Short mmCIF file of all heavy atoms in Angstrom, two decimals:
data_model
loop_
_atom_site.label_atom_id
_atom_site.label_comp_id
_atom_site.label_asym_id
_atom_site.label_seq_id
_atom_site.Cartn_x
_atom_site.Cartn_y
_atom_site.Cartn_z
N LEU P 46 -8.82 -5.57 -23.54
CA LEU P 46 -9.36 -4.52 -24.38
C LEU P 46 -9.51 -3.23 -23.58
O LEU P 46 -10.07 -3.24 -22.48
CB LEU P 46 -10.71 -4.95 -24.95
CG LEU P 46 -11.40 -3.94 -25.86
CD1 LEU P 46 -10.60 -3.74 -27.15
CD2 LEU P 46 -12.82 -4.40 -26.19
N MET P 47 -8.97 -2.15 -24.13
CA MET P 47 -9.09 -0.85 -23.48
C MET P 47 -10.28 -0.07 -24.06
O MET P 47 -11.07 0.51 -23.33
CB MET P 47 -7.83 -0.03 -23.68
CG MET P 47 -6.58 -0.65 -23.10
SD MET P 47 -5.11 0.31 -23.52
CE MET P 47 -5.43 1.82 -22.62
N ALA P 48 -10.36 -0.06 -25.39
CA ALA P 48 -11.40 0.75 -26.02
C ALA P 48 -11.61 0.31 -27.46
O ALA P 48 -10.74 -0.28 -28.09
CB ALA P 48 -11.01 2.23 -26.00
N THR P 49 -12.79 0.60 -27.94
CA THR P 49 -13.17 0.36 -29.33
C THR P 49 -13.32 1.71 -30.01
O THR P 49 -14.04 2.59 -29.49
CB THR P 49 -14.49 -0.43 -29.41
OG1 THR P 49 -14.34 -1.66 -28.70
CG2 THR P 49 -14.86 -0.71 -30.85
N SER P 50 -12.69 1.85 -31.16
CA SER P 50 -12.64 3.13 -31.84
C SER P 50 -13.31 3.03 -33.20
O SER P 50 -12.93 2.21 -34.02
CB SER P 50 -11.17 3.53 -32.00
OG SER P 50 -11.01 4.58 -32.91
N ASN P 51 -14.30 3.84 -33.43
CA ASN P 51 -14.97 3.89 -34.72
C ASN P 51 -14.67 5.21 -35.42
O ASN P 51 -14.70 6.27 -34.79
CB ASN P 51 -16.48 3.74 -34.56
CG ASN P 51 -16.85 2.32 -34.18
OD1 ASN P 51 -16.72 1.40 -34.96
ND2 ASN P 51 -17.31 2.14 -32.96
N GLU P 52 -14.37 5.14 -36.69
CA GLU P 52 -14.00 6.32 -37.46
C GLU P 52 -15.06 7.39 -37.38
O GLU P 52 -16.24 7.13 -37.61
CB GLU P 52 -13.74 5.91 -38.92
CG GLU P 52 -13.21 7.04 -39.79
CD GLU P 52 -14.29 7.76 -40.55
OE1 GLU P 52 -15.38 7.17 -40.73
OE2 GLU P 52 -14.06 8.90 -40.97
N GLY P 53 -14.62 8.57 -36.99
CA GLY P 53 -15.51 9.72 -36.96
C GLY P 53 -16.39 9.84 -35.74
O GLY P 53 -17.22 10.75 -35.66
N SER P 54 -16.24 8.95 -34.78
CA SER P 54 -17.06 9.05 -33.58
C SER P 54 -16.20 8.81 -32.34
O SER P 54 -15.04 8.41 -32.44
CB SER P 54 -18.21 8.04 -33.62
OG SER P 54 -17.72 6.73 -33.67
N LYS P 55 -16.78 9.08 -31.19
CA LYS P 55 -16.02 8.92 -29.94
C LYS P 55 -15.78 7.44 -29.64
O LYS P 55 -16.61 6.59 -29.94
CB LYS P 55 -16.79 9.55 -28.78
CG LYS P 55 -16.87 11.07 -28.84
CD LYS P 55 -17.58 11.62 -27.61
CE LYS P 55 -17.63 13.14 -27.65
NZ LYS P 55 -18.33 13.70 -26.46
N ALA P 56 -14.64 7.19 -29.03
CA ALA P 56 -14.30 5.81 -28.68
C ALA P 56 -15.17 5.31 -27.53
O ALA P 56 -15.64 6.10 -26.70
CB ALA P 56 -12.82 5.72 -28.31
N THR P 57 -15.36 4.02 -27.49
CA THR P 57 -16.08 3.38 -26.39
C THR P 57 -15.06 2.70 -25.50
O THR P 57 -14.34 1.80 -25.95
CB THR P 57 -17.08 2.34 -26.93
OG1 THR P 57 -18.00 2.98 -27.80
CG2 THR P 57 -17.83 1.69 -25.77
N TYR P 58 -15.00 3.11 -24.25
CA TYR P 58 -14.00 2.60 -23.34
C TYR P 58 -14.55 1.46 -22.49
O TYR P 58 -15.72 1.46 -22.11
CB TYR P 58 -13.51 3.73 -22.42
CG TYR P 58 -12.68 4.77 -23.14
CD1 TYR P 58 -13.29 5.79 -23.87
CD2 TYR P 58 -11.29 4.72 -23.10
CE1 TYR P 58 -12.53 6.73 -24.55
CE2 TYR P 58 -10.52 5.67 -23.77
CZ TYR P 58 -11.15 6.66 -24.50
OH TYR P 58 -10.40 7.59 -25.16
N GLU P 59 -13.68 0.52 -22.17
CA GLU P 59 -14.05 -0.57 -21.28
C GLU P 59 -14.09 -0.06 -19.84
O GLU P 59 -13.46 0.94 -19.49
CB GLU P 59 -13.06 -1.72 -21.39
CG GLU P 59 -13.10 -2.41 -22.74
CD GLU P 59 -14.44 -3.05 -23.04
OE1 GLU P 59 -14.87 -3.95 -22.27
OE2 GLU P 59 -15.06 -2.66 -24.05
#
Side-chain angles (χ1 to χ4, degrees):
Chain P
L46 180 66
M47 299 175 66
T49 302
S50 166
N51 288 291
E52 186 265 339
S54 62
K55 291 183 178 179
T57 301
Y58 290 82
E59 293 298 300

